[in-house]
Amino acid sequence: MHRIGIVKAMKAEALPLIERLGLREGPPPWDERLPPRLWSGTHAGVEIDLIWLGRDERHGVDLIGTSAATLATTLLLTHRSIDWVISAGTAGGFVSRGGAIGKVYLGRSPICFHDRRVPIEGFRESALGEHPCMDATELSRELGYELGVVSTGDSLDAPPQDLEAMDRLGTHAKEMEAAAVAWIASLHGVPMLAVKAITDLVDGPHATEAEFLEHLHTASDRLAEAVARVIACLPS
Ligand code: SAH
């Protein structure tokens, strides 16, 4: 039986998926002082492990972003024998590139970081990442979700230099974890897929924070549906 790992940043995003897939929380097979938490179960004939990045106990919020995603993905792929890893979450979209609230994208390869600038040969490319993910063309055709460029940074806002980088990359989904998950997956030789639902429009008229919170639940439901459909469709 195949085993799929799902990496999730925010608990509010994870809960609809945990419910839909009927997963149960188990004691983490790592030192419990490390924040990531694990839910497991079987769905559509596939074993599933969902890892949530965990809580920042000092500040009482969800851990988000690339450091926490790197830690969680490393723990998941070290402690479980995973065949596919999915970075599932919400993202900012771009009206100028066809984005809309609630739209779901399957990530194209490669996945880059849009906020790392190191103008020294070699380090520049390393910082950009360009981490591979699986070719989702067939899934996109079968399920009707568009392929999109996913890019990753550690901020919710979008200063001009990041926007320039995202314009160069042609980003459809701006988020904070996928490139880190893709990096760790590639080190482990595990195929990775990004599934992202749009909660806010980076080039739209509304403030990102307010728009994000307004659409978080709707987008998380769309995302849960998309991930369940993707799981049922992954080649066995
Ligand atoms: N204020 C929020 C924080 C959400 S941060 C709260 O309730 O705590 C954003 C999370 O959603 C990250 O995990 C990121 O991957 C994703 N995300 C959604 N929209 C984003 C955007 N416009 N830019 C960056 N990340 C975004």
Side-chain angles (χ1 to χ4, degrees):
M1 197 185 280
H2 268 77
R3 196 164 195 121
I4 296 184
I6 303 171
V7 182
K8 275 275 183 190
M10 296 184 61
K11 199 164 186 184
E13 285 172 5
L15 290 174
L17 185 57
I18 286 170
E19 202 166 300
R20 182 178 277 260
L21 300 177
L23 307 180
R24 286 184 188 281
E25 186 168 10
W30 46 79
D31 184 334
E32 294 209 14
R33 286 172 300 183
L34 301 178
R37 292 292 173 263
L38 193 63
W39 281 259
S40 304
T42 309
H43 176 83
V46 185
E47 304 256 28
I48 297 168
D49 290 301
L50 181 147
I51 193 166
W52 165 52
L53 305 191
R55 257 172 87 77
D56 179 335
E57 292 298 348
R58 287 191 306 157
H59 303 291
V61 293
D62 289 2
L63 286 163
I64 55 174
T66 64
S67 341
T70 300
L71 173 62
T73 312
T74 301
L75 289 172
L76 179 67
L77 297 186
T78 306
H79 289 270
R80 288 282 189 270
S81 180
I82 299 287
D83 299 299
W84 303 87
V85 65
I86 300 175
S87 166
T90 58
F94 293 79
V95 182
S96 56
R97 290 190 271 273
I101 302 290
K103 186 164 175 173
V104 172
Y105 289 101
L106 303 180
R108 280 181 195 281
S109 193
I111 304 183
C112 295
F113 293 99
H114 54 241
D115 65 345
R116 295 187 178 186
R117 291 172 288 273
V118 188
I120 304 171
E121 201 193 331
F123 290 97
R124 180 187 297 108
E125 293 73 19
S126 175
L128 183 62
E130 295 194 288
H131 296 298
C133 64
M134 66 171 270
D135 179 359
T137 312
E138 203 48 51
L139 278 178
S140 157
R141 203 170 294 144
E142 224 159 299
L143 300 176
Y145 300 122
E146 273 179 41
L147 293 176
V149 174
V150 176
S151 74
T152 303
D154 271 306
S155 298
L156 187 63
D157 68 358
Q161 278 178 309
D162 290 5
L163 282 175
E164 273 167 38
M166 288 184 274
D167 283 343
R168 269 197 306 277
L169 295 167
T171 301
H172 295 97
K174 166 187 181 281
E175 51 79 84
M176 301 174 64
E177 293 87 17
V181 176
W183 176 48
I184 301 301
S186 74
L187 295 178
H188 287 257
V190 173
M192 180 272 183
L193 175 68
V195 183
K196 300 287 158 178
I198 301 303
T199 37
D200 53 273
L201 295 163
V202 179
D203 56 355
H206 306 293
T208 299
E209 308 82 81
E211 205 174 25
F212 172 84
L213 291 174
E214 188 185 338
H215 300 295
L216 178 61
H217 291 288
T218 328
S220 300
D221 287 343
R222 296 286 316 272
L223 183 67
E225 183 190 3
V227 172
R229 294 183 66 207
V230 163
I231 287 172
C233 228
L234 278 176
S236 49

